[in-house]
Structures are given as C-alpha cells and as structure tokens.
Amino acid sequence: MPDQAAILILNGPNLNMLGVREPTVYGSETLGDIEESCKERANHLGLGVDFRQSNHEGELIDAIQEARENHKGIIINPAGYTHTSVAIRDALLISEVPIIEVHLSNVFQREEFRHHSYVTPVSQGVICGLGPIGYLLALEAMSKILEGSD
Ligand code: DHK
C-alpha cells in the first residue's frame, strides 16, 4: 500500500463555473472533471488529494492554515486572488509546505493586471497556459519534490 500523503489542491473564485465560464479561455472541462483526473493521477503516484474550491478569500486562507498540520503540499489556483491577495500569500508562507501555483490560461498572454502574482514568489514553481493538464503536471512535480524531501 503506497503512502497516501494528502496534497491540498485549492481553487479560488469562479473556478466552480468552469465549463460554462469563458470556454475559449478556460476550456470546456468542469472543475469536477479536473478533480476526477487529479484523483486518478494522484492514486497512480501514491498520493491522496484533498480537492477544494471557494469563492471566499477567508475560506481559502482557513484551508491554507489547516494545511500546515494536515497536508504535505499545496497546489493552488488562486484565480482572481492571484493578482490581489497579500493575505493568501501570507497564509501560504505560514504553511511551510511546498507550494505549486497553477493557472489554466496563459496569464502572460492576457491583460497586464494578470501578469503580476502575489503567490509566485512564495511558490516552488508555476504552471500556466496548459489547461487542466497543468494540475496533473503539478501533481507529478509535487510527488518528486516530496520524494526529495524524505
Ligand atoms: C483563473 C482566473 O479566475 C483568473 O482570475 C486568473 C486563472 C487566471 C486561470 O487561468 O486559471 O487571472
């Protein structure tokens, strides 16, 4: 039986609307589809996944604070809060676990205000522009990072 290290995969505001939300930018997969494929990939990697979404900054911060005790790593798509939230960045620093930032779209091909992230400086790496595959690549990377830290 593989070690079921739980990875928190945290999704910010409006990502619950994937599938109907600007499909030309965010694709046609729903967040449920992404959760399913993350759980499948995590299972292959011997990792457990705690997959969550919230539209509320405080709820995202509560989840990040819990990760310090309950999770081995955080994969986060902070969505719109990427570009605005000092509080999410501060919470991530408190977590003291490896962090990977994911975006479905290529934020650098989009509006200027999406080019800055408060989360990138506290993340081990960033994956953007590859759609839902980005989450799976983040899981692969997290698995390697955790192997290295054992
Ligand atoms: C998702 C959002 O909701 C936007 O606010 C970000 C990110 C980009 C994404 O590409 O997944 O700017």
Side-chain angles (χ1 to χ4, degrees):
M1 186 70 183
D3 175 28
Q4 293 286 307
I7 306 304
L8 176 63
I9 303 185
L10 197 55
N11 295 281
N14 301 308
L15 293 172
N16 56 315
M17 299 304 287
L18 288 179
V20 292
R21 177 192 185 199
E22 300 177 81
T24 53
V25 176
Y26 296 106
S28 55
E29 279 191 40
T30 66
L31 196 62
D33 296 332
I34 295 175
E35 177 173 4
E36 206 176 301
S37 47
C38 281
K39 287 189 168 159
E40 201 175 301
R41 182 64 59 98
N43 198 35
H44 283 294
L45 293 166
L47 296 170
V49 154
D50 183 3
F51 194 97
R52 299 197 215 171
Q53 188 274 334
S54 176
N55 291 327
H56 306 282
E57 191 174 19
E59 276 181 17
L60 295 165
I61 290 166
D62 287 344
I64 294 165
Q65 288 184 1
E66 282 170 30
R68 189 184 159 91
E69 295 298 324
N70 299 337
H71 300 94
K72 294 236 165 113
I74 300 173
I75 294 170
I76 183 166
N77 182 347
Y81 287 134
T82 307
H83 320 295
T84 64
S85 182
V86 173
I88 286 179
R89 172 205 177 107
D90 288 348
L92 288 167
L93 272 174
I94 294 166
S95 75
E96 290 186 345
V97 296
I99 295 152
I100 300 177
E101 180 183 352
V102 172
H103 301 285
L104 294 157
S105 64
N106 183 343
V107 286
F108 299 103
Q109 284 177 343
R110 301 181 64 196
E111 304 94 323
E112 189 94 27
F113 66 83
R114 294 185 205 275
H115 298 183
H116 175 262
S117 166
Y118 281 100
V119 170
T120 302
V122 301
S123 300
Q124 205 130 344
V126 185
I127 298 169
C128 84
L130 301 176
I133 291 167
Y135 285 78
L136 306 182
L137 295 174
L139 274 167
E140 300 275 351
M142 186 61 79
S143 168
K144 291 280 173 223
I145 290 166
L146 294 176
E147 263 172 43
S149 70
D150 275 348

